[in-house]
Amino acid sequence: MPGQWEYQVGPSVGIEAGDHIWCSRYILERITEQAGVVLSLDPKPIEGDWNGAGCHTNYSTKSMREDGGFEVIKKAILNLSLRHVDHISAYGEGNERRLTGKHETASIDTFSWGVANRGCSIRVGRDTEKNGKGYLEDRRPASNMDPYVVTGLLAETTLLWEPTLEAEALAAQKLALKV
């Protein structure tokens, strides 16, 4: 989108990620105030045929970064697919205007994942696949998301929540995941 800025926060550990994002937003607000520029965290502040503003969230656990971690990542992706609606509902107001399936986004209505695929819900990097360990990137959160909610949901869904065996088997088949 014209005039859009991108910046990164992290790496951060746990709840610290939310603290870092709120501090970065404060600094950004002060800079734009001093420069006489308007700041918006709206996921699509100006309608048009261009990208919106997201808060892509890279996420890993210790077991994802260790040997065999890609299997742990695939299990996390499976769980994320089963709770897609829960995550979408908490990932930022107005996100439906951004997650259209165009402009390097997945459709808000459909969960997808892929390696090096910038048009899916969850992206896994080529290095993660090649090394068999690493991290996943949740591309669904909007720029106005609450970082404590997003990090909390990611941890809950991938570490604590257990789907039924039937739901897990159906989702694994649908996503072509062997877990």
Side-chain angles (χ1 to χ4, degrees):
M1 185 182 76
Q4 183 176 4
W5 284 12
E6 178 179 323
Y7 68 98
Q8 296 186 17
V9 176
S12 305
V13 177
I15 199 75
E16 188 178 79
D19 298 341
H20 291 179
I21 288 176
W22 277 112
C23 287
S24 74
R25 286 176 175 173
Y26 171 75
I27 292 167
L28 184 61
E29 184 77 39
R30 293 290 294 137
I31 290 169
T32 58
E33 182 180 284
Q34 291 172 357
V37 176
V38 175
L39 169 68
S40 173
L41 294 177
D42 187 285
K44 192 85 171 197
I46 301 171
E47 292 302 317
D49 191 23
W50 45 58
N51 295 0
C55 188
H56 301 164
T57 304
N58 293 344
Y59 172 76
S60 69
T61 62
K62 184 177 179 186
S63 60
M64 290 177 183
R65 296 184 304 270
E66 293 175 340
D67 288 341
F70 194 48
E71 295 306 311
V72 178
I73 291 169
K74 290 192 299 187
K75 172 68 168 103
I77 290 169
L78 184 75
N79 282 12
L80 290 166
S81 76
L82 292 168
R83 296 192 74 201
H84 178 67
V85 173
D86 297 329
H87 283 252
I88 288 296
S89 69
Y91 274 10
E93 189 175 328
N95 208 10
E96 70 281 352
R97 292 181 280 117
R98 180 181 76 90
L99 294 179
T100 61
K102 299 176 184 176
H103 309 295
E104 298 182 329
T105 68
S107 168
I108 196 166
D109 298 317
T110 307
F111 182 88
S112 59
W113 82 281
V115 175
N117 182 346
R118 298 173 63 87
C120 61
S121 306
I122 304 293
R123 185 184 74 82
V124 174
R126 288 192 197 284
D127 284 346
T128 295
E129 180 187 44
K130 183 178 113 191
N131 297 332
K133 59 185 174 183
Y135 67 95
L136 61 85
E137 175 187 22
D138 191 341
R139 298 178 60 81
R140 300 171 297 172
S143 52
N144 61 0
M145 61 73 136
D146 181 329
Y148 300 110
V149 170
V150 170
T151 56
L153 268 173
L154 282 169
E156 178 187 325
T157 298
T158 61
L159 297 171
L160 304 174
W161 184 74
E162 284 294 327
T164 66
L165 290 176
E166 181 180 54
E168 188 176 71
L170 289 171
Q173 186 177 26
K174 180 180 174 186
L175 295 173
L177 282 170
K178 294 178 183 167
V179 289

